[in-house]
Amino acid sequence: MLLTSLAFGVAAIQLAARKVLVQELAAVEVLARVDVLCLDKTGTLTSGELVLDRTEPLGDAVADDETAVALAAFGADDAGNATAGILSSRFRSDRYRIVRRVPFSSATKYSGVVIAVDGVESSWVLGAPERVLADHGDELASANTIAATGQRTLALVRTVDPLPKGSHVPIAGLAVQPAALVVLSETVRPEAAATLGYFAEQSVRVVIMSGDNPITVEAIARSLDLPGAAIDASTFQDDAALADALKSNDIFGRVSPEQKRTAVGLLQEQGRTVAMTGDGVNDAMAIKDANLGIAMGTATAATKAVSRLVLLDNRFDRLPDVLAFGRRVIANVERVSNIFLAKTVYGILLALVSAVLLWPFPFLPRQLTLVSTLAIGIPSFFLALAPNRRIYQPGVLKRILRYSIPTGVIAGLTCVVAYLPLYRSIPLHEARSVTTIALFCVSLWILCVLTRPLSGLRLALLASVAAAMALVCVIPFTANFFAMHVPLTLDLVWGILVGAVGAAGIELFYRFARRRGLVFDRE
């Protein structure tokens, strides 16, 4: 418990040093298991800083000055979204009076305004080209051509019919006059391509779910070397259609907030561990439902509140560090769990054998403490924090049991064989000391197997542990304190020999288990 908590805590501190805030300690464990990463395009793959590139008129039905006044009205909405703020920096006018506004809705993909200029009222709509230009094929084709370059396009139209009441009323069927295309540009994060490549190497599926035009999303994805075409999620009639699309597609445009949340649930139903990143309030529910919610540093307060990780400096390239630390923690916890559970197994076995045969227990508590400290406690502390690049594989508990039970049985039998011929033929304190030596030999080899591949530092750790045990036995004070009475006799040779045979048994089992795939892979 201490080592697991320590490993989680150290990972959280190291991530904080990289400007990644861990809001729940348990999130570190989830990091290792993530195999699907859902991304929003804006603010994640791109910088999220939209700028107005230009406007392009659509025909001559609407005069340019009328278009400018309408865009100024949209930009003057204090409660508007980021697009309103962008328009306000370019378009300003005092000729109009606001009569009514229709706020933007992610369901209908447009916002509207009714203005009065010189006493004459007109209605305007600004929104997704495929929604507001659905009945104007040539103008829609022009918008799609621009979107294919990776730029974001909005269509401004003047409505002939009155604007519908409410904010969730579709505009389909409403007679409109195309006025202009508003072209917005955003910059792809320079680190995005390398980061996505890292996830591909780590067998993490990346799913892009954006509310933008599928053509624009596909262009951005193509610039990042992501294969596949973008799917228009607005065409899905039900959740079943979305589920089918998720089986073979990774790039989606015009995804509503409800669809993002549904997609996370569908992936989880497939047994996947899903991480969701985003920065807008429309991402909040999907982030909340994901196994690991990740908010960007510029995210809304609601999005940060439901996330488990926050990228404080808004850098997408922090995610490889996030994944690497999580996998290191879980791989190391699995490693040290094998050591501790092996001790539990041989402790239970020796207790049962001693109870059945009615003989004195083979160790004093302080002798078990000595072995546990040198062969388990101290090494586990270093191993729990050591670098480990092994990719997470399901079945941790099963692998731990497959290794710890057989090795624990081997260690227990080693102690029984070493102790059985001695406890009546020599003083009990000497028999226990010799058995402790045998147990240390086999425990040291359990540790040796689990530290592989053996680097210089790990060899130094093993050598230090062995040297510490030797010093304990030869220094009078420590030998008396731990009751290690080991005179240089054939009994000591017997204990070392039996311990060596037990260590060989550990080695043979490990090699057999690796060939059969019953234990963990190396780093």
mmCIF file of all heavy atoms in Angstrom, residues 299-339:
data_model
loop_
_atom_site.group_PDB
_atom_site.id
_atom_site.type_symbol
_atom_site.label_atom_id
_atom_site.label_comp_id
_atom_site.label_asym_id
_atom_site.label_seq_id
_atom_site.Cartn_x
_atom_site.Cartn_y
_atom_site.Cartn_z
ATOM 1 N N ALA A 299 -9.336 25.750 -20.902
ATOM 2 C CA ALA A 299 -10.705 25.221 -20.882
ATOM 3 C C ALA A 299 -11.590 26.043 -19.947
ATOM 4 O O ALA A 299 -11.109 26.772 -19.072
ATOM 5 C CB ALA A 299 -10.698 23.759 -20.447
ATOM 6 N N THR A 300 -12.876 25.899 -20.140
ATOM 7 C CA THR A 300 -13.827 26.568 -19.269
ATOM 8 C C THR A 300 -13.761 25.971 -17.870
ATOM 9 O O THR A 300 -13.281 24.851 -17.671
ATOM 10 C CB THR A 300 -15.254 26.422 -19.816
ATOM 11 O OG1 THR A 300 -15.608 25.027 -19.850
ATOM 12 C CG2 THR A 300 -15.355 27.000 -21.221
ATOM 13 N N ALA A 301 -14.268 26.721 -16.901
ATOM 14 C CA ALA A 301 -14.231 26.259 -15.512
ATOM 15 C C ALA A 301 -15.010 24.959 -15.350
ATOM 16 O O ALA A 301 -14.597 24.065 -14.601
ATOM 17 C CB ALA A 301 -14.802 27.340 -14.592
ATOM 18 N N ALA A 302 -16.122 24.832 -16.061
ATOM 19 C CA ALA A 302 -16.923 23.610 -15.958
ATOM 20 C C ALA A 302 -16.161 22.404 -16.487
ATOM 21 O O ALA A 302 -16.212 21.312 -15.904
ATOM 22 C CB ALA A 302 -18.233 23.786 -16.723
ATOM 23 N N THR A 303 -15.446 22.593 -17.574
ATOM 24 C CA THR A 303 -14.680 21.482 -18.161
ATOM 25 C C THR A 303 -13.544 21.058 -17.238
ATOM 26 O O THR A 303 -13.292 19.872 -17.037
ATOM 27 C CB THR A 303 -14.131 21.893 -19.535
ATOM 28 O OG1 THR A 303 -15.211 22.304 -20.375
ATOM 29 C CG2 THR A 303 -13.405 20.723 -20.193
ATOM 30 N N LYS A 304 -12.837 22.022 -16.658
ATOM 31 C CA LYS A 304 -11.759 21.693 -15.724
ATOM 32 C C LYS A 304 -12.292 20.993 -14.482
ATOM 33 O O LYS A 304 -11.645 20.086 -13.937
ATOM 34 C CB LYS A 304 -11.012 22.961 -15.317
ATOM 35 C CG LYS A 304 -10.172 23.582 -16.419
ATOM 36 C CD LYS A 304 -9.463 24.831 -15.900
ATOM 37 C CE LYS A 304 -8.617 25.481 -16.976
ATOM 38 N NZ LYS A 304 -7.947 26.703 -16.496
ATOM 39 N N ALA A 305 -13.478 21.383 -14.036
ATOM 40 C CA ALA A 305 -14.020 20.831 -12.801
ATOM 41 C C ALA A 305 -14.318 19.346 -12.921
ATOM 42 O O ALA A 305 -14.195 18.607 -11.935
ATOM 43 C CB ALA A 305 -15.287 21.591 -12.404
ATOM 44 N N VAL A 306 -14.699 18.882 -14.111
ATOM 45 C CA VAL A 306 -15.058 17.470 -14.268
ATOM 46 C C VAL A 306 -13.904 16.631 -14.803
ATOM 47 O O VAL A 306 -14.036 15.415 -14.944
ATOM 48 C CB VAL A 306 -16.281 17.323 -15.200
ATOM 49 C CG1 VAL A 306 -17.484 18.033 -14.616
ATOM 50 C CG2 VAL A 306 -15.977 17.851 -16.602
ATOM 51 N N SER A 307 -12.783 17.258 -15.115
ATOM 52 C CA SER A 307 -11.646 16.513 -15.648
ATOM 53 C C SER A 307 -10.796 15.947 -14.514
ATOM 54 O O SER A 307 -10.860 16.407 -13.381
ATOM 55 C CB SER A 307 -10.789 17.406 -16.542
ATOM 56 O OG SER A 307 -10.190 18.426 -15.774
ATOM 57 N N ARG A 308 -9.986 14.953 -14.839
ATOM 58 C CA ARG A 308 -9.088 14.361 -13.854
ATOM 59 C C ARG A 308 -7.649 14.861 -14.051
ATOM 60 O O ARG A 308 -6.832 14.746 -13.161
ATOM 61 C CB ARG A 308 -9.142 12.833 -13.945
ATOM 62 C CG ARG A 308 -10.554 12.294 -13.804
ATOM 63 C CD ARG A 308 -10.639 10.794 -13.940
ATOM 64 N NE ARG A 308 -10.246 10.111 -12.716
ATOM 65 C CZ ARG A 308 -10.334 8.787 -12.560
ATOM 66 N NH1 ARG A 308 -10.781 8.025 -13.532
ATOM 67 N NH2 ARG A 308 -9.962 8.236 -11.423
ATOM 68 N N LEU A 309 -7.369 15.373 -15.246
ATOM 69 C CA LEU A 309 -6.064 15.973 -15.530
ATOM 70 C C LEU A 309 -6.291 17.311 -16.222
ATOM 71 O O LEU A 309 -7.239 17.452 -17.000
ATOM 72 C CB LEU A 309 -5.222 15.079 -16.451
ATOM 73 C CG LEU A 309 -4.725 13.729 -15.946
ATOM 74 C CD1 LEU A 309 -3.956 13.036 -17.055
ATOM 75 C CD2 LEU A 309 -3.866 13.887 -14.724
ATOM 76 N N VAL A 310 -5.405 18.264 -15.960
ATOM 77 C CA VAL A 310 -5.465 19.556 -16.635
ATOM 78 C C VAL A 310 -4.076 19.869 -17.188
ATOM 79 O O VAL A 310 -3.087 19.840 -16.441
ATOM 80 C CB VAL A 310 -5.907 20.686 -15.681
ATOM 81 C CG1 VAL A 310 -5.943 22.016 -16.429
ATOM 82 C CG2 VAL A 310 -7.269 20.386 -15.068
ATOM 83 N N LEU A 311 -4.003 20.125 -18.495
ATOM 84 C CA LEU A 311 -2.746 20.543 -19.121
ATOM 85 C C LEU A 311 -2.621 22.049 -18.922
ATOM 86 O O LEU A 311 -3.145 22.852 -19.697
ATOM 87 C CB LEU A 311 -2.748 20.176 -20.609
ATOM 88 C CG LEU A 311 -3.021 18.706 -20.945
ATOM 89 C CD1 LEU A 311 -2.944 18.486 -22.446
ATOM 90 C CD2 LEU A 311 -2.046 17.784 -20.217
ATOM 91 N N LEU A 312 -1.911 22.442 -17.856
ATOM 92 C CA LEU A 312 -1.930 23.830 -17.407
ATOM 93 C C LEU A 312 -1.392 24.803 -18.449
ATOM 94 O O LEU A 312 -1.882 25.929 -18.574
ATOM 95 C CB LEU A 312 -1.134 23.962 -16.107
ATOM 96 C CG LEU A 312 -1.704 23.205 -14.900
ATOM 97 C CD1 LEU A 312 -0.753 23.316 -13.723
ATOM 98 C CD2 LEU A 312 -3.077 23.733 -14.530
ATOM 99 N N ASP A 313 -0.370 24.400 -19.188
ATOM 100 C CA ASP A 313 0.207 25.310 -20.176
ATOM 101 C C ASP A 313 -0.381 25.106 -21.561
ATOM 102 O O ASP A 313 0.134 25.614 -22.550
ATOM 103 C CB ASP A 313 1.729 25.173 -20.221
ATOM 104 C CG ASP A 313 2.168 23.749 -20.519
ATOM 105 O OD1 ASP A 313 1.295 22.861 -20.638
ATOM 106 O OD2 ASP A 313 3.384 23.509 -20.623
ATOM 107 N N ASN A 314 -1.483 24.317 -21.626
ATOM 108 C CA ASN A 314 -2.239 24.170 -22.869
ATOM 109 C C ASN A 314 -1.422 23.507 -23.978
ATOM 110 O O ASN A 314 -1.719 23.690 -25.161
ATOM 111 C CB ASN A 314 -2.724 25.540 -23.352
ATOM 112 C CG ASN A 314 -4.041 25.447 -24.096
ATOM 113 O OD1 ASN A 314 -4.920 24.680 -23.706
ATOM 114 N ND2 ASN A 314 -4.187 26.210 -25.151
ATOM 115 N N ARG A 315 -0.432 22.692 -23.594
ATOM 116 C CA ARG A 315 0.429 22.054 -24.591
ATOM 117 C C ARG A 315 0.008 20.607 -24.796
ATOM 118 O O ARG A 315 0.052 19.779 -23.888
ATOM 119 C CB ARG A 315 1.889 22.132 -24.154
ATOM 120 C CG ARG A 315 2.472 23.525 -24.242
ATOM 121 C CD ARG A 315 3.923 23.554 -23.832
ATOM 122 N NE ARG A 315 4.747 22.624 -24.602
ATOM 123 C CZ ARG A 315 6.056 22.473 -24.428
ATOM 124 N NH1 ARG A 315 6.679 23.225 -23.532
ATOM 125 N NH2 ARG A 315 6.735 21.609 -25.137
ATOM 126 N N PHE A 316 -0.385 20.327 -26.026
ATOM 127 C CA PHE A 316 -0.830 18.990 -26.406
ATOM 128 C C PHE A 316 0.304 17.979 -26.290
ATOM 129 O O PHE A 316 0.067 16.786 -26.033
ATOM 130 C CB PHE A 316 -1.379 19.054 -27.834
ATOM 131 C CG PHE A 316 -1.815 17.739 -28.397
ATOM 132 C CD1 PHE A 316 -2.756 16.965 -27.742
ATOM 133 C CD2 PHE A 316 -1.305 17.269 -29.595
ATOM 134 C CE1 PHE A 316 -3.166 15.755 -28.266
ATOM 135 C CE2 PHE A 316 -1.717 16.069 -30.127
ATOM 136 C CZ PHE A 316 -2.651 15.313 -29.460
ATOM 137 N N ASP A 317 1.556 18.432 -26.474
ATOM 138 C CA ASP A 317 2.671 17.493 -26.445
ATOM 139 C C ASP A 317 3.013 17.035 -25.032
ATOM 140 O O ASP A 317 3.972 16.265 -24.846
ATOM 141 C CB ASP A 317 3.909 18.087 -27.113
ATOM 142 C CG ASP A 317 4.387 19.365 -26.417
ATOM 143 O OD1 ASP A 317 3.557 20.021 -25.755
ATOM 144 O OD2 ASP A 317 5.573 19.701 -26.545
ATOM 145 N N ARG A 318 2.259 17.455 -24.021
ATOM 146 C CA ARG A 318 2.436 16.910 -22.671
ATOM 147 C C ARG A 318 1.826 15.515 -22.550
ATOM 148 O O ARG A 318 2.175 14.766 -21.629
ATOM 149 C CB ARG A 318 1.773 17.821 -21.640
ATOM 150 C CG ARG A 318 2.330 19.237 -21.574
ATOM 151 C CD ARG A 318 3.767 19.265 -21.127
ATOM 152 N NE ARG A 318 4.221 20.632 -20.895
ATOM 153 C CZ ARG A 318 5.484 20.956 -20.698
ATOM 154 N NH1 ARG A 318 6.422 20.027 -20.710
ATOM 155 N NH2 ARG A 318 5.830 22.211 -20.473
ATOM 156 N N LEU A 319 0.930 15.163 -23.448
ATOM 157 C CA LEU A 319 0.220 13.896 -23.317
ATOM 158 C C LEU A 319 1.133 12.660 -23.381
ATOM 159 O O LEU A 319 0.882 11.688 -22.679
ATOM 160 C CB LEU A 319 -0.879 13.799 -24.373
ATOM 161 C CG LEU A 319 -2.076 14.728 -24.143
ATOM 162 C CD1 LEU A 319 -3.103 14.558 -25.262
ATOM 163 C CD2 LEU A 319 -2.727 14.451 -22.801
ATOM 164 N N PRO A 320 2.188 12.645 -24.214
ATOM 165 C CA PRO A 320 3.099 11.492 -24.136
ATOM 166 C C PRO A 320 3.709 11.306 -22.756
ATOM 167 O O PRO A 320 3.848 10.171 -22.285
ATOM 168 C CB PRO A 320 4.165 11.820 -25.192
ATOM 169 C CG PRO A 320 3.447 12.648 -26.191
ATOM 170 C CD PRO A 320 2.496 13.490 -25.384
ATOM 171 N N ASP A 321 4.068 12.411 -22.078
ATOM 172 C CA ASP A 321 4.580 12.304 -20.710
ATOM 173 C C ASP A 321 3.516 11.728 -19.784
ATOM 174 O O ASP A 321 3.801 10.898 -18.918
ATOM 175 C CB ASP A 321 5.008 13.676 -20.185
ATOM 176 C CG ASP A 321 6.333 14.133 -20.764
ATOM 177 O OD1 ASP A 321 7.065 13.273 -21.293
ATOM 178 O OD2 ASP A 321 6.628 15.334 -20.697
ATOM 179 N N VAL A 322 2.278 12.168 -19.983
ATOM 180 C CA VAL A 322 1.165 11.674 -19.164
ATOM 181 C C VAL A 322 1.035 10.161 -19.313
ATOM 182 O O VAL A 322 0.947 9.421 -18.324
ATOM 183 C CB VAL A 322 -0.143 12.380 -19.572
ATOM 184 C CG1 VAL A 322 -1.344 11.716 -18.926
ATOM 185 C CG2 VAL A 322 -0.097 13.856 -19.192
ATOM 186 N N LEU A 323 1.043 9.689 -20.554
ATOM 187 C CA LEU A 323 0.903 8.256 -20.797
ATOM 188 C C LEU A 323 2.113 7.490 -20.268
ATOM 189 O O LEU A 323 1.972 6.431 -19.647
ATOM 190 C CB LEU A 323 0.733 8.003 -22.295
ATOM 191 C CG LEU A 323 0.504 6.549 -22.716
ATOM 192 C CD1 LEU A 323 -0.838 6.056 -22.201
ATOM 193 C CD2 LEU A 323 0.575 6.410 -24.229
ATOM 194 N N ALA A 324 3.310 8.031 -20.487
ATOM 195 C CA ALA A 324 4.528 7.333 -20.073
ATOM 196 C C ALA A 324 4.606 7.178 -18.561
ATOM 197 O O ALA A 324 4.970 6.109 -18.058
ATOM 198 C CB ALA A 324 5.760 8.079 -20.598
ATOM 199 N N PHE A 325 4.250 8.218 -17.812
ATOM 200 C CA PHE A 325 4.294 8.131 -16.355
ATOM 201 C C PHE A 325 3.273 7.128 -15.841
ATOM 202 O O PHE A 325 3.553 6.373 -14.905
ATOM 203 C CB PHE A 325 4.054 9.504 -15.735
ATOM 204 C CG PHE A 325 5.278 10.367 -15.673
ATOM 205 C CD1 PHE A 325 5.359 11.544 -16.390
ATOM 206 C CD2 PHE A 325 6.370 9.995 -14.904
ATOM 207 C CE1 PHE A 325 6.485 12.346 -16.349
ATOM 208 C CE2 PHE A 325 7.508 10.783 -14.854
ATOM 209 C CZ PHE A 325 7.561 11.961 -15.574
ATOM 210 N N GLY A 326 2.094 7.120 -16.425
ATOM 211 C CA GLY A 326 1.091 6.166 -15.991
ATOM 212 C C GLY A 326 1.531 4.735 -16.220
ATOM 213 O O GLY A 326 1.365 3.869 -15.357
ATOM 214 N N ARG A 327 2.103 4.484 -17.382
ATOM 215 C CA ARG A 327 2.538 3.114 -17.683
ATOM 216 C C ARG A 327 3.727 2.715 -16.821
ATOM 217 O O ARG A 327 3.855 1.551 -16.441
ATOM 218 C CB ARG A 327 2.868 3.013 -19.175
ATOM 219 C CG ARG A 327 1.608 3.055 -20.024
ATOM 220 C CD ARG A 327 1.877 2.865 -21.488
ATOM 221 N NE ARG A 327 0.620 2.634 -22.198
ATOM 222 C CZ ARG A 327 0.512 2.518 -23.514
ATOM 223 N NH1 ARG A 327 1.588 2.621 -24.267
ATOM 224 N NH2 ARG A 327 -0.659 2.312 -24.077
ATOM 225 N N ARG A 328 4.587 3.658 -16.509
ATOM 226 C CA ARG A 328 5.708 3.351 -15.623
ATOM 227 C C ARG A 328 5.201 2.926 -14.251
ATOM 228 O O ARG A 328 5.678 1.943 -13.681
ATOM 229 C CB ARG A 328 6.608 4.570 -15.480
ATOM 230 C CG ARG A 328 7.874 4.305 -14.683
ATOM 231 C CD ARG A 328 8.469 5.579 -14.143
ATOM 232 N NE ARG A 328 7.658 6.130 -13.060
ATOM 233 C CZ ARG A 328 7.922 7.280 -12.465
ATOM 234 N NH1 ARG A 328 8.937 8.020 -12.864
ATOM 235 N NH2 ARG A 328 7.153 7.719 -11.487
ATOM 236 N N VAL A 329 4.225 3.663 -13.728
ATOM 237 C CA VAL A 329 3.715 3.356 -12.399
ATOM 238 C C VAL A 329 3.099 1.958 -12.359
ATOM 239 O O VAL A 329 3.404 1.152 -11.478
ATOM 240 C CB VAL A 329 2.685 4.418 -11.962
ATOM 241 C CG1 VAL A 329 1.934 3.953 -10.728
ATOM 242 C CG2 VAL A 329 3.378 5.737 -11.688
ATOM 243 N N ILE A 330 2.234 1.655 -13.329
ATOM 244 C CA ILE A 330 1.550 0.364 -13.301
ATOM 245 C C ILE A 330 2.532 -0.787 -13.527
ATOM 246 O O ILE A 330 2.460 -1.833 -12.873
ATOM 247 C CB ILE A 330 0.431 0.341 -14.349
ATOM 248 C CG1 ILE A 330 -0.636 1.350 -13.956
ATOM 249 C CG2 ILE A 330 -0.183 -1.044 -14.452
ATOM 250 C CD1 ILE A 330 -1.206 1.152 -12.568
ATOM 251 N N ALA A 331 3.469 -0.616 -14.455
ATOM 252 C CA ALA A 331 4.451 -1.678 -14.694
ATOM 253 C C ALA A 331 5.299 -1.929 -13.456
ATOM 254 O O ALA A 331 5.591 -3.074 -13.106
ATOM 255 C CB ALA A 331 5.338 -1.307 -15.884
ATOM 256 N N ASN A 332 5.690 -0.858 -12.757
ATOM 257 C CA ASN A 332 6.515 -1.026 -11.559
ATOM 258 C C ASN A 332 5.718 -1.575 -10.389
ATOM 259 O O ASN A 332 6.231 -2.370 -9.595
ATOM 260 C CB ASN A 332 7.163 0.307 -11.182
ATOM 261 C CG ASN A 332 8.285 0.691 -12.123
ATOM 262 O OD1 ASN A 332 8.822 -0.157 -12.842
ATOM 263 N ND2 ASN A 332 8.642 1.954 -12.142
ATOM 264 N N VAL A 333 4.458 -1.156 -10.254
ATOM 265 C CA VAL A 333 3.618 -1.715 -9.194
ATOM 266 C C VAL A 333 3.413 -3.207 -9.427
ATOM 267 O O VAL A 333 3.433 -4.011 -8.486
ATOM 268 C CB VAL A 333 2.270 -0.975 -9.129
ATOM 269 C CG1 VAL A 333 1.269 -1.732 -8.267
ATOM 270 C CG2 VAL A 333 2.466 0.429 -8.570
ATOM 271 N N GLU A 334 3.236 -3.610 -10.680
ATOM 272 C CA GLU A 334 3.118 -5.039 -10.980
ATOM 273 C C GLU A 334 4.407 -5.768 -10.605
ATOM 274 O O GLU A 334 4.372 -6.876 -10.051
ATOM 275 C CB GLU A 334 2.816 -5.232 -12.466
ATOM 276 C CG GLU A 334 2.710 -6.697 -12.868
ATOM 277 C CD GLU A 334 2.405 -6.889 -14.342
ATOM 278 O OE1 GLU A 334 1.993 -5.915 -15.006
ATOM 279 O OE2 GLU A 334 2.577 -8.015 -14.832
ATOM 280 N N ARG A 335 5.525 -5.143 -10.883
ATOM 281 C CA ARG A 335 6.808 -5.774 -10.582
ATOM 282 C C ARG A 335 6.974 -6.011 -9.072
ATOM 283 O O ARG A 335 7.288 -7.119 -8.638
ATOM 284 C CB ARG A 335 7.945 -4.886 -11.097
ATOM 285 C CG ARG A 335 9.322 -5.539 -11.037
ATOM 286 C CD ARG A 335 10.418 -4.498 -10.997
ATOM 287 N NE ARG A 335 10.391 -3.586 -12.107
ATOM 288 C CZ ARG A 335 11.057 -3.762 -13.250
ATOM 289 N NH1 ARG A 335 11.784 -4.839 -13.418
ATOM 290 N NH2 ARG A 335 11.004 -2.853 -14.201
ATOM 291 N N VAL A 336 6.746 -4.968 -8.275
ATOM 292 C CA VAL A 336 6.961 -5.121 -6.838
ATOM 293 C C VAL A 336 5.858 -5.959 -6.193
ATOM 294 O O VAL A 336 6.084 -6.597 -5.160
ATOM 295 C CB VAL A 336 7.073 -3.751 -6.147
ATOM 296 C CG1 VAL A 336 8.247 -2.964 -6.707
ATOM 297 C CG2 VAL A 336 5.794 -2.952 -6.257
ATOM 298 N N SER A 337 4.674 -5.993 -6.805
ATOM 299 C CA SER A 337 3.613 -6.844 -6.266
ATOM 300 C C SER A 337 4.012 -8.311 -6.333
ATOM 301 O O SER A 337 3.674 -9.104 -5.439
ATOM 302 C CB SER A 337 2.310 -6.622 -7.044
ATOM 303 O OG SER A 337 1.831 -5.310 -6.870
ATOM 304 N N ASN A 338 4.727 -8.686 -7.377
ATOM 305 C CA ASN A 338 5.219 -10.067 -7.465
ATOM 306 C C ASN A 338 6.115 -10.403 -6.286
ATOM 307 O O ASN A 338 6.052 -11.519 -5.743
ATOM 308 C CB ASN A 338 5.997 -10.252 -8.775
ATOM 309 C CG ASN A 338 5.085 -10.416 -9.975
ATOM 310 O OD1 ASN A 338 4.372 -11.397 -10.096
ATOM 311 N ND2 ASN A 338 5.105 -9.437 -10.859
ATOM 312 N N ILE A 339 6.964 -9.465 -5.891
ATOM 313 C CA ILE A 339 7.885 -9.720 -4.779
ATOM 314 C C ILE A 339 7.111 -9.894 -3.473
ATOM 315 O O ILE A 339 7.331 -10.845 -2.716
ATOM 316 C CB ILE A 339 8.903 -8.564 -4.658
ATOM 317 C CG1 ILE A 339 9.690 -8.401 -5.963
ATOM 318 C CG2 ILE A 339 9.850 -8.817 -3.498
ATOM 319 C CD1 ILE A 339 10.625 -7.207 -5.965
#
